[in-house]
Amino acid sequence: MKNQSGMSLIEVLIAIFLLAVIMVSVIQSTSRSYEIKDFNINLNEENLALSAFYQRFSWDFGHIYSPRYHSNVFVSQDPNEPEKTVPGSEEFLSRYQGNRNFSGPNDTGLPIPIFKSEQKNTFTFLTTGYRRKFINEKNSQFAWIQYGLKKFEEKPDDNSNDDATPPEGETLVRRVYTQNPWTGEDIDFDNIKSQRILDGVTSLVFKFWDEERLKFVDSLREMNDGQSLIRAVKIEITYTDKEGEERTSSQIFLPLTLRFVPETEKELNSLRQEFEDDDDDDDDDDGDDGDDGDN
């Protein structure tokens, strides 16, 4: 009889062992791929939310409205006789007494809004960048915008995991008031529907550029004319992502308005120019006298 050849028991065990090692490696690799995918999805969602916030704020603040960007404040004194007031000016200014949103008129009679940042994490301003959601909606392009933080009481979801922990911190929100942008009464933003932008925010700071001190400051009241004329805003935000990691971001925003030099600064520059012109004329006269002497 011929000897029948086949795999021995040891060879079978070795083959099973190698197959098990390969299967474990494949399972670990697949599991790791899913973990990386979930991490990237969460990270992209947070990055998209932050990017959407910056784009939204850039549009709102870029179209910030204030006549002070292109004119001076209304002056009741007669320019020809400073000791006298312009007729009817007192009655005109009395309309703004007790007004919570407008400080007074500019030199052409337009109302000057009051920008507010009563807390470091809140910023309220009037914008012309409001875009209607419906074609024939009875709202203008003017709207009061407020950015800030709000703590939401999360309701449990029947399909959610009970072991899941809610994100730490508060939620960055945007509120819009369009009903009557020219109202002089306090606007109750707490009762206005909030647009949720980013969850897990632990710190939000609005800073404003002070041209006199050449630095960003925390309060508009620290600046000269800061509540009606803002040159730049810096946002510093810290939030916790879904993985529990703390992340920080900051960005600077500028209004889409032409540079305006107030009247007082114009007068100062005019005097400087006249002084320089006088010096140039004196130099020319000296040069002419020297030429006459040579002749």
Side-chain angles (χ1 to χ4, degrees), residues 53 56-57 60 121-123 145-148 173-174 197 206:
F53 161 59
R56 180 77 269 181
F57 184 87
D60 290 337
N121 58 12
T122 304
F123 181 33
I145 307 290
Q146 184 184 85
Y147 285 91
V173 297
R174 174 178 179 263
I197 300 176
F206 292 95

Side-chain angles (χ1 to χ4, degrees), residues 135-178:
I135 295 178
N136 296 322
E137 186 180 11
K138 294 182 179 180
N139 286 324
S140 70
Q141 62 183 355
F142 292 92
W144 283 96
I145 307 290
Q146 184 184 85
Y147 285 91
L149 298 179
K150 181 178 180 180
K151 186 70 174 179
F152 286 92
E153 295 296 334
E154 300 292 348
K155 296 181 179 180
D157 189 359
D158 295 337
N159 297 325
S160 63
N161 185 6
D162 295 337
D163 296 333
T165 57
E168 298 180 359
E170 298 178 277
T171 300
L172 173 61
V173 297
R174 174 178 179 263
R175 301 182 178 98
V176 182
Y177 177 79
T178 59

Side-chain angles (χ1 to χ4, degrees), residues 41-162:
I41 290 175
N42 293 335
L43 185 61
N44 289 336
E45 288 178 353
E46 291 160 354
N47 289 339
L48 287 174
L50 188 61
S51 177
F53 161 59
Y54 283 152
Q55 292 180 7
R56 180 77 269 181
F57 184 87
S58 177
W59 176 269
D60 290 337
F61 181 72
H63 293 81
I64 190 173
Y65 173 78
S66 174
R68 290 291 288 114
Y69 283 106
H70 53 78
S71 61
N72 290 290
V73 297
F74 177 80
V75 180
S76 59
Q77 282 77 18
D78 191 329
N80 298 322
E81 300 182 46
E83 66 278 1
K84 297 182 178 180
T85 58
V86 178
S89 61
E90 294 183 359
E91 181 181 356
F92 183 50
L93 293 175
S94 65
R95 301 176 184 176
Y96 292 90
Q97 292 182 359
N99 195 307
R100 307 293 296 177
N101 300 315
F102 297 91
S103 59
N106 73 334
D107 52 12
T108 60
L110 296 175
I112 301 174
I114 302 174
F115 305 140
K116 302 175 183 178
S117 181
E118 298 174 354
Q119 299 178 356
K120 294 181 180 180
N121 58 12
T122 304
F123 181 33
T124 307
F125 57 95
L126 183 63
T127 182
T128 61
Y130 176 72
R131 291 177 288 188
R132 295 179 297 180
K133 298 179 181 179
F134 305 99
I135 295 178
N136 296 322
E137 186 180 11
K138 294 182 179 180
N139 286 324
S140 70
Q141 62 183 355
F142 292 92
W144 283 96
I145 307 290
Q146 184 184 85
Y147 285 91
L149 298 179
K150 181 178 180 180
K151 186 70 174 179
F152 286 92
E153 295 296 334
E154 300 292 348
K155 296 181 179 180
D157 189 359
D158 295 337
N159 297 325
S160 63
N161 185 6
D162 295 337

Side-chain angles (χ1 to χ4, degrees), residues 224-236:
N224 182 22
D225 210 11
Q227 291 186 297
S228 60
L229 191 62
I230 302 176
R231 297 300 185 187
V233 174
K234 182 179 182 181
I235 297 178
E236 298 177 350

Side-chain angles (χ1 to χ4, degrees), residues 32-48 243:
R32 181 59 179 169
S33 298
Y34 278 111
E35 291 177 359
I36 294 175
K37 179 182 178 181
D38 293 338
F39 175 79
N40 290 334
I41 290 175
N42 293 335
L43 185 61
N44 289 336
E45 288 178 353
E46 291 160 354
N47 289 339
L48 287 174
E243 302 297 325

